[in-house]
Amino acid sequence: VRHYLGKAPVNRFQNQAHRADADAEMTLEVLLAQLVRYEDLPTDVDGLHKFCSDRLREQERMREAV
């Protein structure tokens, strides 16, 4: 969280650690920060799914090749 948001989680999350709603909100903030930082990331759900799936398959192929 600190890496992408440049700060520790704000107080509203510290007292709610690991609550589903707080986790989801923090995840959204990190995702939005990633989209700003990595301009080559797709911004739609289908594009993000394909991007992540392709990378995972490539990592799997590399592990199998070793």
Side-chain angles (χ1 to χ4, degrees), residues 2-63:
R2 185 173 291 147
H3 177 76
Y4 290 107
L5 301 181
K7 60 184 176 185
V10 291
N11 288 337
R12 65 188 163 130
F13 293 113
Q14 288 173 343
N15 295 330
Q16 300 177 29
H18 303 294
R19 282 189 41 190
D21 58 337
D23 285 354
E25 196 169 335
M26 184 58 65
T27 299
L28 176 60
E29 287 188 30
V30 169
L31 174 60
L32 294 174
Q34 288 174 327
L35 292 173
V36 169
R37 177 175 282 192
Y38 305 110
E39 295 176 358
D40 61 328
L41 282 178
T43 57
D44 61 294
V45 173
D46 289 336
L48 285 169
H49 173 73
K50 183 176 179 344
F51 177 84
C52 293
S53 297
D54 290 350
R55 288 181 59 112
L56 288 173
R57 277 195 289 280
E58 182 59 30
Q59 288 172 355
E60 237 174 70
R61 278 191 285 258
M62 290 174 64
R63 277 194 296 270

